[in-house]
Amino acid sequence: MAHKFEIRKNKAGEFVAYFTYNGESIWWTEGYSSKASAKNAIESVLKNGPNAAVDDQTD
């Protein structure tokens, strides 16, 4: 699979959710104190992302 979510720990020991494509990090969340919070962030993106508007500010 070319794209996936990953949960990693940062240098501060916090849990961070990453979205990667072909091994490259596209975006990531803030650091969370619990893995459950990072998983909730991923679930929120999966639930709300497909209906998100595109705001093209190039015009």
Side-chain angles (χ1 to χ4, degrees), residues 7-16 18 29-32:
I7 296 175
R8 305 181 206 156
K9 280 192 171 183
N10 63 16
K11 291 180 182 180
E14 300 169 317
F15 295 94
V16 180
Y18 288 81
T29 66
E30 62 184 290
Y32 296 101

Side-chain angles (χ1 to χ4, degrees), residues 7-56:
I7 296 175
R8 305 181 206 156
K9 280 192 171 183
N10 63 16
K11 291 180 182 180
E14 300 169 317
F15 295 94
V16 180
Y18 288 81
F19 180 74
T20 64
Y21 181 75
N22 286 337
E24 181 179 345
S25 294
I26 304 300
W27 61 261
W28 51 91
T29 66
E30 62 184 290
Y32 296 101
S33 59
S34 71
K35 188 185 288 188
S37 293
K39 287 182 178 182
N40 286 341
I42 293 170
E43 291 300 320
S44 178
V45 170
L46 291 171
K47 178 181 174 185
N48 299 302
N51 297 319
V54 176
D55 184 8
D56 184 351

